[in-house]
Amino acid sequence: MRKTTKSPAARKLTASAVALGSCLALAGPAGSAGAAPADPVPTVFFGDSYTANFGISPVNNMDSERGWCFQATDNYPAVATRSLADKSITLDVQSDVSCGGALVHDFWQKQELPFGAGELPAQQDALKQDTQLTVGSLGGNTLGFNRILKQCSDELRKPSLLPGDPVDGDEPAAKCGEFFETGDGKQWLDDQFERVGGELEELLDRIGYFAPDAKRVLVGYPRLVPEATTKCLTAAPGQTQLPFADIPQDVLPVLDQIQKRLNDAMKKVAADAEGGADFVDLYAGTGANTACDGADRGIGGLLEDSQLELLGTKVPWYGHPNAKGRDIQAKQVADKVEEILNR
């Protein structure tokens, strides 16, 4: 039976675990401060399609139901782990359970896979008592960013692999900016943000409970829409579709505001976490590598062909990091991990 950290008893256990970890740290060798760990660091990666790096090929576990996670063999956890090894920082990766489509609550509940392909264990099941580092991104699917995109695009409302329905299919896509800033659309968005914040708090609490010695790193999402949205009126080199397909230019700042609000919410959860947690602010560091930055784009356009192919047909990026974007994610995550382990 899974334990919940929402009860007072569980919170006391979490606090005790944090206190014990602090005492052990204080009891360490006097000369160890500021030095990278000599021993491998037991690590668990968790997350959704932005951690799994949907769209990048080849994909892990193609011979099992986990193939539906579309977890790239060279996702940012793998690339960051290699770059840290080059600096003599060895991560002992106990597991990478990142999976496309994961909601925050899939951290403690079974995840239902698409097309009736089965279900996966809760991501927290990968945690061990000796896990010392946890890294990953969750929140975008719980917010419903795919539904937000479909609310704003007639093209994305057509049958596709992108899951979910628009928030209100009776409202025209061209008016989605107004929809999310007033009335029922604004209320829906506010409710979603409240859910995301509360569930991310529980996620960090659960890590503290099941892996009391683990450093917790919450990774934000890279920026999709640039400040200068006029750049989104030009197709990327070699492309015919605009980066955001048929989403009107005047709606793009609204999408950017929603993404920044998600970034700020994630940052706050990490800052307020009992026992401390770290945040990788990808949004702040990727403003020159959005979907609209042409050859410098780190995000594949909504309908731009990714590296994945299903039944002989290329699958679109749907706004996920391409190889350049993956490398940016990996560098910023590796830099943060190095900073944490050298404290």
Side-chain angles (χ1 to χ4, degrees):
M1 181 175 66
R2 291 191 179 88
K3 307 175 183 66
T4 174
T5 58
K6 289 303 182 184
S7 67
R11 286 197 177 276
K12 288 179 183 177
L13 283 171
T14 305
S16 299
V18 170
L20 176 61
S22 299
C23 291
L24 291 173
L26 290 172
S32 64
D39 298 325
V41 180
T43 301
V44 169
F45 291 101
F46 62 90
D48 57 24
S49 58
Y50 279 74
T51 307
N53 282 118
F54 168 88
I56 293 177
S57 184
V59 170
N60 289 327
N61 307 303
M62 286 300 291
D63 57 346
S64 74
E65 64 272 11
R66 279 199 176 272
W68 288 103
C69 290
F70 298 107
Q71 184 191 92
T73 301
D74 276 338
N75 63 349
Y76 83 66
V79 176
T81 297
R82 289 200 299 268
S83 68
L84 286 166
D86 290 341
K87 297 181 178 183
S88 299
I89 299 174
T90 304
L91 301 187
D92 173 17
V93 180
Q94 296 173 314
S95 194
D96 179 352
V97 290
S98 60
C99 186
L103 302 160
V104 179
H105 71 219
D106 291 324
F107 193 78
W108 58 87
Q109 296 180 12
K110 292 180 179 179
Q111 180 180 348
E112 297 291 333
L113 293 170
F115 310 114
E119 59 184 23
L120 298 178
Q123 295 192 13
Q124 73 178 16
D125 290 359
L127 299 174
K128 302 181 185 302
Q129 281 291 308
D130 67 343
T131 300
Q132 294 177 23
L133 178 68
T134 57
V135 183
S137 312
L138 282 168
N141 291 322
T142 296
L143 178 64
F145 208 74
N146 54 333
R147 299 188 66 193
I148 293 168
L149 290 173
K150 286 194 172 187
Q151 186 65 34
C152 300
S153 167
D154 286 318
E155 284 293 323
L156 292 182
R157 292 189 189 191
K158 296 176 181 177
S160 70
L161 285 174
L162 186 66
D165 298 313
V167 180
D168 185 347
D170 292 332
E171 287 287 325
K175 292 187 177 180
C176 83
E178 179 183 347
F179 174 77
F180 285 120
E181 292 182 321
T182 59
D184 291 344
K186 181 180 183 301
Q187 184 60 56
W188 177 86
L189 202 56
D190 290 344
D191 291 345
Q192 295 299 101
F193 272 109
E194 184 175 355
R195 178 177 294 110
V196 169
E199 291 189 355
L200 284 175
E201 288 177 14
E202 178 160 358
L203 181 153
L204 292 179
D205 282 346
R206 284 173 174 270
I207 294 174
Y209 182 47
F210 288 102
D213 294 330
K215 304 291 186 184
R216 298 170 293 179
V217 183
L218 191 60
V219 181
Y221 294 90
R223 189 170 184 174
L224 306 181
V225 179
E227 184 175 355
T229 58
T230 52
K231 294 195 290 186
C232 300
L233 301 179
T234 303
Q239 301 299 312
T240 55
Q241 288 272 6
L242 295 180
F244 287 96
D246 62 329
I247 297 179
Q249 184 191 356
D250 62 353
V251 170
L252 295 179
V254 177
L255 295 181
D256 186 50
Q257 290 163 15
I258 292 172
Q259 191 188 3
K260 185 177 187 304
R261 183 177 175 184
L262 174 60
N263 187 76
D264 291 345
M266 296 175 74
K267 184 188 299 186
K268 185 178 188 305
V269 169
D272 294 346
E274 183 178 6
D278 288 274
F279 182 67
V280 179
D281 194 344
L282 288 175
Y283 178 91
T286 52
N289 304 104
T290 70
C292 302
D293 280 296
D296 292 326
R297 68 193 183 284
I299 302 294
L302 290 183
L303 299 180
E304 178 183 350
D305 288 346
S306 75
Q307 297 175 7
L308 292 181
E309 195 172 290
L310 283 179
L311 301 176
T313 302
K314 288 283 190 178
V315 178
W317 284 106
Y318 294 130
H320 284 79
N322 54 24
K324 180 187 288 287
R326 182 271 320 274
D327 290 346
I328 294 171
Q329 290 175 292
K331 183 181 188 312
Q332 294 196 29
V333 167
D335 288 349
K336 177 62 70 174
V337 169
E338 182 179 10
E339 172 196 324
I340 292 168
L341 297 180
N342 280 330
R343 283 176 186 162

